[in-house]
Amino acid sequence: MIKLIAFDLDGTLTQHRTPIGPECEEILLALKEKYKLLMVGAGACRRIFEQMKHFPIDIVGNYGMQSAVYNYETKDIEIKDEPVLEANRELCEQKVTFLRKKHGFCDFRGKNVEYHASGCITFPVLGTEAKIEDKLAFDPDRRKRRAIYSEVCETFPDYNVFVGGSSSFDMAPKPYNKYYALDKYCKENGILHSEALFVGDDYGEGGNDESVYKSDFNFLKIDDYRDFPALIKPYLD
């Protein structure tokens, strides 16, 4: 009954910010013969397209705040929707500063808050200019951030909050999240939820795939991107 397979990218098809490998590309080409394929990402469509090595696929980026259609003539993507919601920077700074003081995150390098062109924001716990080794060592199992996750959500009620990267909280203006993005795409293309499969790795508390995982969409869990070829194989048989 599956007509559409939608994918997360980092951690699902490849390592973080790493181009897809030849085996993954071969599998996607085989899947494309049977299903409509879609990328649903947290990042911008252009960044996803480059990381996909210009694979011919439609892309929904920035949690549904941006969408792009692949043009088979130009072999490039065309950006279709790109709403921009400006963040209230003064209020965001006040809220992040409050959280820092309350939980002892006042020692940081760089900016207090990172603002993205889409209207999404990032609360970088260690600051925007923290050393990569410090970021990686800060919260590898996400326990520190999950301990205050509900509080961050309450502090930013107008945003969907995600435990992002290795040391940050990523936020998208409501209603934007991956469920919203996939649901909208399905409605526009006449696809039922029961006819769609989402493939993702970040389905735990605060993960940016969690909203889809907890919904009525079919979901294929990927805990290690290297397991993707074996786990997707039943859909090729």
Side-chain angles (χ1 to χ4, degrees):
M1 295 294 293
I2 298 298
K3 295 180 179 179
L4 169 71
I5 301 183
F7 301 92
D8 167 59
L9 182 52
D10 289 344
T12 298
L13 301 182
T14 184
Q15 295 187 66
H16 183 70
R17 297 296 178 101
T18 302
I20 58 172
E23 182 181 15
C24 178
E25 190 171 4
E26 183 178 336
I27 291 170
L28 291 175
L29 285 170
L31 289 170
K32 206 170 186 297
E33 295 296 316
K34 297 182 65 175
Y35 310 98
K36 187 173 184 63
L37 304 185
L38 175 70
M39 295 302 303
V40 181
C45 292
R46 176 58 60 180
R47 195 271 288 175
I48 294 171
F49 185 60
E50 295 299 328
Q51 194 174 338
M52 291 289 294
K53 299 195 299 189
H54 294 194
F55 187 86
I57 193 170
D58 290 348
I59 303 171
V60 179
N62 294 334
Y63 302 106
M65 298 183 72
Q66 186 184 61
S67 65
V69 176
Y70 184 80
N71 186 317
Y72 283 87
E73 292 185 2
T74 64
K75 296 183 180 180
D76 198 1
I77 54 171
E78 297 177 354
I79 303 297
K80 296 296 184 182
D81 300 317
E82 195 171 18
V84 175
L85 303 177
E86 186 65 31
N88 183 331
R89 297 197 176 198
E90 182 178 357
L91 185 59
C92 288
E93 295 289 343
Q94 291 174 357
K95 289 183 175 183
V96 168
T97 298
F98 166 79
L99 291 169
R100 287 189 184 281
K101 290 180 178 179
K102 183 175 181 180
H103 296 285
F105 298 137
C106 296
D107 184 15
F108 64 94
R109 300 180 59 176
K111 296 179 181 178
N112 189 35
V113 184
E114 183 177 3
Y115 301 95
H116 304 278
S118 62
C120 294
I121 64 173
T122 296
F123 167 17
V125 179
L126 302 183
T128 57
E129 297 179 11
K131 296 179 180 179
I132 185 63
E133 56 266 29
D134 292 336
K135 288 183 178 182
L136 294 174
F138 173 70
D139 189 25
D141 57 8
R142 302 191 176 191
R143 289 186 183 181
K144 292 179 182 178
R145 284 170 292 163
R146 282 176 175 160
I148 64 169
Y149 175 69
S150 60
E151 184 178 354
V152 177
C153 292
E154 292 171 2
T155 305
F156 287 88
D158 296 329
Y159 288 82
N160 285 315
V161 180
F162 313 102
V163 179
S166 55
S167 60
S168 63
F169 291 97
D170 296 328
M171 306 182 201
K174 288 182 176 179
Y176 296 102
N177 60 22
K178 288 190 178 180
Y179 171 83
Y180 174 89
L182 183 56
D183 175 66
K184 183 173 183 288
Y185 186 90
C186 286
K187 287 176 179 176
E188 292 174 347
N189 290 274
I191 298 171
L192 301 175
H193 286 200
S194 60
E195 297 172 329
L197 171 71
F198 186 86
V199 185
D201 73 307
D202 199 8
Y203 55 86
E205 182 185 20
N208 63 35
D209 298 330
E210 182 188 20
S211 61
V212 184
Y213 178 65
K214 288 188 172 181
S215 75
D216 59 340
F217 280 110
N218 300 291
F219 195 102
L220 179 62
K221 297 188 292 185
I222 306 293
D223 293 317
D224 187 323
Y225 75 94
R226 291 168 293 188
D227 296 333
F228 169 70
L231 293 173
I232 201 66
K233 189 176 184 301
Y235 294 91
L236 286 169
D237 294 338

